[in-house]
Amino acid sequence: MLLDGETWTARVQGFKREAWRLETLPVYRVPSEDGEIRDFLAGQRLDPENYSSGYTEGLKRIKAEGKSKGRVHVVRQPLTDYLRFEFMYYDAHSRAGDDIRILDVTDRPNPLEGVSDFWLFDHSEVVLMHYEDDGTQISRELYGGDPAPYVEYQSIAIAESVPFKEYVKRWPSILTS
């Protein structure tokens, strides 16, 4: 079953304990971000300590309700302009409660080679994210099979990654370049 519009929104907002995502692409093409990316490339930055949006307020609400939202992003250096842009938001989102981790496979084998993007809700429901080669989203598909392999992918991703803040401490220029 493909998820779109209200059905997708209900899924993302209706989890009971945990919403978790694996991100594997170096670029996600989101037309609504084009202007923000241009601004970023022109040198504009947001202040992560004071940044507020509907998304960050939602993250704070999720955390206050005792739920969690997190992700692991598999990356390779040098980071794409898009990833540098996204990291600017990761800084603000992690401060609001998003458990963001980075799995850098620059100098090592990727322990999740061949695993595509997905969301895992409450360890029981999987939504497969489908993209064109350029990062344009094609669809979101509710997976009808056993979620156990995806729970295992999550475990591997978390074990093999580092918290976002730790990652950027190693390479602070990522957030300022």
Side-chain angles (χ1 to χ4, degrees):
M1 175 169 106
L2 296 181
L3 302 176
D4 222 352
E6 290 178 16
T7 307
W8 172 243
T9 300
R11 187 81 62 209
V12 169
Q13 294 178 353
F15 65 95
K16 293 178 179 32
R17 293 177 314 282
E18 179 188 48
W20 187 86
R21 179 167 182 189
L22 179 69
E23 296 178 310
T24 64
L25 301 180
V27 175
Y28 291 90
R29 299 275 181 227
V30 182
S32 64
E33 293 178 339
D34 288 348
E36 292 174 73
I37 293 171
R38 270 193 306 278
D39 291 346
F40 172 81
L41 294 174
Q44 292 184 20
R45 300 293 183 268
L46 59 86
D47 176 0
E49 292 181 31
N50 296 307
Y51 177 77
S52 181
S53 69
Y55 188 75
T56 57
E57 293 307 309
L59 289 168
K60 290 174 186 176
R61 187 189 76 254
I62 287 166
K63 188 174 182 178
E65 293 171 353
K67 300 186 227 178
S68 67
K69 192 169 189 181
R71 70 188 68 226
V72 170
H73 201 138
V74 180
V75 303
R76 187 177 310 277
Q77 292 196 34
L79 297 182
T80 62
D81 287 342
Y82 180 85
L83 282 176
R84 291 180 30 255
F85 163 77
E86 190 170 54
F87 274 30
M88 177 178 68
Y89 282 94
Y90 279 178
D91 194 10
H93 295 168
S94 65
R95 292 168 191 263
D98 204 347
D99 180 18
I100 302 170
R101 301 178 64 86
I102 305 299
L103 174 52
D104 191 322
V105 295
T106 302
D107 296 320
R108 60 181 263 196
N110 181 351
L112 296 168
E113 189 69 43
V115 178
S116 298
D117 286 39
F118 67 90
W119 277 93
L120 178 63
F121 298 101
D122 299 320
H123 285 189
S124 62
E125 199 169 63
V126 177
V127 175
L128 305 175
M129 307 296 286
H130 302 291
Y131 296 91
E132 297 282 357
D133 290 341
D134 72 352
T136 302
Q137 188 177 83
I138 301 168
S139 64
R140 302 175 198 98
E141 176 188 1
L142 183 60
Y143 177 68
D146 183 359
Y150 293 91
V151 172
E152 179 64 18
Y153 297 150
Q154 178 192 30
S155 296
I156 292 166
I158 290 170
E160 297 287 334
S161 62
V162 298
F164 172 75
K165 290 179 182 181
E166 183 180 323
Y167 186 78
V168 295
K169 279 183 188 173
R170 292 182 191 172
W171 294 281
S173 63
I174 286 173
L175 292 179
T176 58
S177 57

